[in-house]
Amino acid sequence: MYEDVPVFMAEGALFRDQPYAGELPQGLWTTGLCDCHEDAHICVQTAIMPCVSFAQNTEIVNRGNIPSMNAGLIHLALGFVGCCWLYAFPSRSRLREHFALPEEPCSDFWVHVCCTPCAICQESRELKNQGADPSLGWGSNIEKWRREKITPPIVVPGMNR
């Protein structure tokens, strides 16, 4: 249904040609790992139910291929046994690939092992700052971009870190 939308694809227009390219720091996270206070809603939601925030992020990062309900339930189940980070860190890696972000402050694995809630909050803020609101879901973001005639975020092709 949404296969024709050029979101998170390396083909097509270059990042520097997009209208928002000059507004965002290229190759850098827009917020720090411990900047949870910058978005109180995401901070509180993640503190109470991290599986919900994670699920919303995962749906966007995977272009709707993984429904948020499925991602949230898997994250919740793994959280009960203390290893939700096993499911969460690959999603962070994929997000970084989409926006050509550095693996900071350490590998995605260790960021999630040491502070999964902070990582999930940072990922939510990054998606919002890049133009995708995780709380809306994939389909609603597509509709919003079409309605506002906005070109969704596109990966920087061939960028190396």
Side-chain angles (χ1 to χ4, degrees):
M1 180 170 166
Y2 299 113
E3 287 80 21
D4 62 329
V5 180
V7 178
F8 305 142
M9 301 294 285
E11 59 213 34
L14 297 175
F15 179 79
R16 68 174 181 272
D17 298 331
Q18 298 301 315
Y20 51 80
E23 301 169 16
L24 299 172
Q26 296 182 24
L28 299 174
W29 290 89
T30 57
T31 64
L33 182 62
C34 297
D35 290 342
C36 297
H37 63 278
E38 289 190 12
D39 191 322
H41 177 266
I42 291 172
C43 182
V44 171
Q45 175 180 296
T46 305
I48 296 170
M49 287 296 287
C51 58
V52 172
S53 296
F54 173 77
Q56 292 172 343
N57 294 349
T58 300
E59 183 177 1
I60 300 298
V61 169
N62 291 289
R63 300 183 68 206
N65 291 325
I66 299 176
S68 63
M69 180 66 79
N70 295 358
L73 289 174
I74 292 169
H75 191 272
L76 179 65
L78 289 171
F80 281 125
V81 293
C83 58
C84 59
W85 48 269
L86 279 172
Y87 186 55
F89 87 87
S91 183
R92 182 178 180 88
S93 299
R94 180 173 225 150
L95 173 77
R96 281 190 320 90
E97 289 172 11
H98 289 325
F99 298 117
L101 300 169
E103 197 168 27
E104 291 180 349
C106 53
S107 74
D108 299 331
F109 173 82
W110 287 111
V111 168
H112 271 277
V113 167
C114 295
C115 197
T116 298
C118 292
I120 292 171
C121 284
Q122 183 186 33
E123 294 156 16
S124 292
R125 290 190 311 273
E126 191 65 34
L127 286 168
K128 268 189 170 179
N129 292 341
Q130 296 281 0
D133 185 350
S135 66
L136 296 179
W138 176 251
S140 295
N141 271 294
I142 295 293
E143 291 170 17
K144 180 183 89 166
W145 293 327
R146 285 188 175 150
R147 187 175 52 252
E148 297 173 0
K149 296 181 177 28
I150 294 174
T151 303
I154 298 174
V155 177
V156 180
M159 182 171 177
N160 296 325
R161 282 177 225 105

